[in-house]
Amino acid sequence: MKKVILCGYNLIGCEVLKILHNKNYELYVFTHNSPYFIPDLKSYCEELKIPYTTDKISIKNLPFKPDIICSIYYRYIIDKEIIDLCKGKIFNLHPSLLPEYRGCSSITWAIINGEKYTGFTYHYINQDIDKGKIILKKKIEINSFDTQGTLYSKVMIEAIDYFMEAFNFVIDGKEGKKQSKGGKYYNREVPLEGKISENWDIDKTKKFIRAFINPPYPVATYKNKPIEDLQSYLKLKNNE
């Protein structure tokens, strides 16, 4: 029986746990506490009677030596000693077409920057953030009506269908494709502080507003006023 560790969170973490549970692997889960509006992986673990913790994964708290580690929306950096312990059979799902949009808020930045496509990448984990060899990646169109919330959901839902392909790739010890150099990288912070600039044209402003629509997270702001759509922005601007 394969020993599998899932480092996961959110809807995609729950969906992947469901897949792994149906395979009858020996499982252990590292996760995070969830606010009320995010599917709770902890509760799902309890329902399935799978052991879990919200402590960060470390050598000291591993329940067993894993055959493979899956990182699915895990919010901690995984240390080198963990990578070495499982002999590099550790992989991550990232919501962009790597090497573009490494780091955080990749969906949000893709909309802000006016990209025509985003997607997801399964890649090996190494010591560099989102720079491991690529297992597979898929392109997804960004429509003019997409918001942060809808686009993230589309990307993650499609990524679920490819999870076992990536899992088996890693288990089989396949090498993966080295990433090309370059690519945009963004730190963990609110893009441009969520503020609409007076200097932007209407097209950029529209993209920025859509990039922040993901209830109940905060929307974009203009002069400290919340902006939920273009009409509310124009009304505020015209009344200046």
Side-chain angles (χ1 to χ4, degrees):
M1 179 185 294
K2 289 184 177 67
K3 297 179 182 291
V4 179
I5 285 178
L6 171 62
C7 298
Y9 182 62
N10 212 312
L11 171 65
I12 184 71
C14 293
E15 292 283 359
V16 165
L17 182 60
K18 180 180 179 181
I19 292 170
L20 293 172
H21 177 67
N22 289 337
K23 297 290 184 181
N24 294 315
Y25 299 140
E26 182 176 352
L27 298 171
Y28 191 86
V29 174
F30 289 87
T31 188
H32 311 283
N33 292 313
S34 299
Y36 74 93
F37 53 87
I38 287 179
D40 187 13
L41 185 54
K42 291 192 310 177
S43 297
Y44 194 42
C45 286
E46 292 169 1
E47 178 185 332
L48 299 178
K49 297 181 171 54
I50 293 170
Y52 71 90
T53 182
T54 56
D55 294 335
K56 179 185 175 182
I57 185 172
S58 71
I59 288 290
K60 294 180 180 179
N61 63 10
L62 286 179
F64 46 68
K65 183 178 179 180
D67 295 306
I68 187 171
I69 299 176
C70 318
S71 173
I72 308 293
Y73 208 112
Y74 194 55
R75 306 180 76 180
Y76 292 129
I77 300 297
I78 297 177
D79 298 331
K80 182 179 183 299
E81 56 186 355
I82 300 290
I83 299 171
D84 293 341
L85 180 70
C86 63
K87 299 180 180 178
K89 290 189 175 183
I90 175 171
F91 72 103
N92 180 58
L93 169 62
H94 185 73
S96 81
L97 299 170
L98 292 175
E100 292 296 335
Y101 295 94
R102 293 181 291 110
C104 298
S105 302
S106 53
I107 295 291
T108 307
W109 277 113
I111 297 176
I112 291 171
N113 291 339
E115 302 289 357
K116 293 183 179 180
Y117 296 94
T118 184
F120 60 88
T121 306
Y122 283 101
H123 66 95
Y124 281 102
I125 292 177
N126 60 16
Q127 288 183 270
D128 299 315
I129 296 174
D130 299 329
K131 287 188 176 181
K133 290 183 177 180
I134 291 172
I135 297 165
L136 65 87
K137 59 182 178 179
K138 298 293 178 181
K139 186 165 67 172
I140 294 172
E141 184 178 6
I142 301 176
N143 297 300
S144 62
F145 51 79
D146 273 316
T147 66
Q148 179 194 132
T150 63
L151 188 56
Y152 172 79
S153 295
K154 286 196 295 187
V155 168
M156 290 293 103
I157 288 169
E158 185 159 349
I160 292 165
D161 292 338
Y162 291 87
F163 172 76
M164 282 308 301
E165 182 178 340
F167 183 96
N168 291 329
F169 188 102
V170 176
I171 280 289
D172 291 342
K174 295 181 180 178
E175 186 174 352
K177 182 179 180 181
K178 186 176 180 180
Q179 292 191 38
S180 58
K181 294 182 179 179
K184 301 178 184 71
Y185 171 83
Y186 294 98
N187 292 319
R188 180 170 286 177
E189 58 190 18
V190 178
L192 303 178
E193 299 181 329
K195 297 177 180 178
I196 298 169
S197 171
E198 296 181 62
N199 301 321
W200 294 346
D201 61 23
I202 288 296
D203 185 59
K204 183 165 183 177
T205 300
K206 285 168 63 177
K207 290 183 176 71
F208 195 82
I209 292 168
R210 290 190 293 111
F212 277 83
I213 297 176
N214 191 4
Y217 293 112
V219 295
T221 62
Y222 178 69
K223 295 191 173 181
N224 297 318
K225 300 291 185 180
I227 302 296
E228 296 177 347
D229 51 38
L230 184 63
Q231 288 71 32
S232 59
Y233 164 74
L234 292 173
K235 182 178 180 180
L236 184 61
K237 190 171 177 63
N238 291 335
N239 288 334
E240 291 177 349

